Amino acid sequence: QVQLVESGGGLVQAGGSLRLSCAASGSIFSVNTMGWYRQAPGKQRELVAVIVRSGSTNYRDAVKGRFSISRDNAKNTVYLQMNNLKREDTAVYYCYADVTVVGGTLGYWGQGTQVTVSS
């Protein structure tokens, strides 16, 4: 019933920037906490950044000062601005959202988008 659709991934050289977006759609009462995770080859999925409805954010140390998470509550959309990308940022990035629907609050995942940093 609820879908999270991601976009913005791609191939970029080290030092470059990308902006990811993730839009939630469907039978939604409200979108609550939203975040971005990533999974590199051979590694476990890890939290990158999280943002609550009030706008408070948290980041893993490796991306602090380089990445910025934001959201547009009217559009049920979360963004991840990634600057000064490093090769170690290469991963599949997944959007996550806690969404209140008719039956309660459930967690949803986006389809994943590949970010590849070269050089």
Side-chain angles (χ1 to χ4, degrees):
Q1 298 272 0
V2 175
Q3 290 184 321
L4 304 183
V5 180
E6 304 178 30
S7 62
L11 175 64
V12 65
Q13 290 192 338
S17 298
L18 286 173
R19 186 176 187 244
L20 307 182
S21 64
C22 173
S25 62
S27 299
I28 298 170
F29 286 125
S30 65
V31 178
N32 309 309
T33 302
M34 305 185 79
W36 291 94
Y37 291 71
R38 67 186 182 187
Q39 188 166 21
K43 299 181 180 178
Q44 294 188 356
R45 188 173 300 187
E46 63 184 23
L47 178 67
V48 177
V50 63
I51 184 168
V52 299
R53 286 190 61 86
S54 66
S56 295
T57 60
N58 287 102
Y59 302 88
R60 73 180 303 106
D61 287 344
V63 307
K64 285 183 176 178
R66 300 189 297 118
F67 290 12
S68 180
I69 188 171
S70 61
R71 64 189 291 166
D72 185 336
N73 290 336
K75 296 181 178 180
N76 291 328
T77 299
V78 63
Y79 307 92
L80 185 67
Q81 178 67 46
M82 303 183 293
N83 299 323
N84 191 25
L85 283 160
K86 304 175 180 179
R87 292 197 66 179
E88 50 263 45
D89 296 318
T90 295
V92 177
Y93 284 70
Y94 296 91
C95 175
Y96 174 84
D98 285 324
V99 181
T100 300
V101 296
V102 66
T105 300
L106 299 173
Y108 294 89
W109 290 95
Q111 80 279 11
T113 184
Q114 177 70 49
V115 172
T116 302
V117 184
S118 66
S119 182

